[in-house]
Amino acid sequence: MEEQGIQLIVGLGNPGPQYAGTRHNAGYWLVDRIVERAGVELRPDAKFQGLLARVSGDGGDLRLLKPTTFMNHSGRALAAVCRYFDIRPEAVLIAYDELDLPVGSVKLKLGGGHGGHNGIRDSMAALGSRDFWRLRIGIGHPGAKEQVIGYVLSRPSRVDMDAILEVVDQAEGCLPELLAGEYQRVMNRLHARP
């Protein structure tokens, strides 16, 4: 049986030029890539506290969201869009930076905990559910817990940035399968990477 496809992709990040190239904005980069390839435009929408775009295709409409509430309050924008468009958590994909995955890796999974990620923690609370899809974009770990905040809010090296953007491209290339609910096929493609 085919599962329901993704209807909303949320990229987590922090708004403003000072955060644009930082590791914590890896989720934004996926939404930016999809928008660029689809030839649509993200538009500010005050009622959704974020930038929103729509891509229309054979499988219906896909909404794209970049919350502008700052990472710790990402759930506000996400919940507002889900309520307005009547989108269930299982049809949501949240893309975000993952400290526990090496740079150049990406993992897709349904449900789970927040793993200490404040954007995911807030999204779970706002949705009242943990049963949404997550695209975890590996940014590596600085090695010590006390270095994490500075690390995620700093820019990756050119080599690391290229590796992160390569997996963002690969995830964007899986969009047709995500929209069709072919999650196992996406996992097979993305998780096969070294």
Side-chain angles (χ1 to χ4, degrees):
M1 187 178 105
E2 196 173 90
E3 296 186 62
Q4 176 178 0
I6 295 299
Q7 297 175 328
L8 171 64
I9 296 178
V10 183
L12 298 189
N14 286 313
Q18 70 271 37
Y19 297 108
T22 64
R23 292 175 178 90
H24 223 17
N25 277 27
Y28 271 14
W29 303 340
L30 175 66
V31 170
D32 290 339
R33 185 54 48 98
I34 294 170
V35 163
E36 177 189 321
R37 293 254 169 90
V40 297
E41 189 178 333
L42 284 162
R43 299 206 163 141
D45 194 316
K47 74 176 166 281
F48 298 130
Q49 300 178 61
L51 302 172
L52 195 66
R54 185 179 84 188
V55 177
S56 295
D58 297 339
D61 285 343
L62 170 68
R63 309 282 169 184
L64 301 163
L65 173 67
K66 287 170 58 173
T68 52
T69 53
F70 287 94
M71 185 66 78
N72 294 359
H73 302 290
S74 302
R76 293 178 191 169
L78 164 61
V81 171
C82 286
R83 277 193 305 271
Y84 188 85
F85 294 107
D86 194 25
I87 298 172
R88 295 188 350 255
E90 304 82 42
V92 173
L93 173 69
I94 301 180
Y96 61 98
D97 58 301
E98 176 58 73
L99 285 161
D100 293 331
L101 289 176
V103 171
S105 64
V106 62
K107 300 285 183 195
L108 177 71
K109 74 174 205 167
L110 175 65
H114 55 71
H117 195 288
N118 290 331
I120 295 297
R121 179 186 281 122
D122 194 63
S123 296
M124 288 168 59
L127 283 179
S129 174
R130 57 180 56 207
D131 296 328
F132 50 84
W133 287 91
R134 299 118 189 272
L135 188 78
R136 302 160 58 220
I137 301 167
I139 61 166
H141 197 286
K145 188 177 179 181
E146 56 275 3
Q147 295 175 326
V148 164
I149 292 173
Y151 180 77
V152 300
L153 294 177
S154 65
R155 297 170 188 272
S157 68
R158 182 76 253 162
V159 169
D160 283 1
M161 184 66 149
D162 288 347
I164 294 167
L165 291 178
E166 184 181 330
V167 297
V168 164
D169 275 348
Q170 290 181 340
E172 187 277 335
C174 294
L175 199 55
E177 289 89 352
L178 289 168
L179 298 181
E182 297 171 355
Y183 302 113
Q184 191 57 54
R185 183 174 291 185
V186 174
M187 287 185 223
N188 292 345
R189 280 176 64 183
L190 295 180
H191 300 185
R193 291 185 48 80

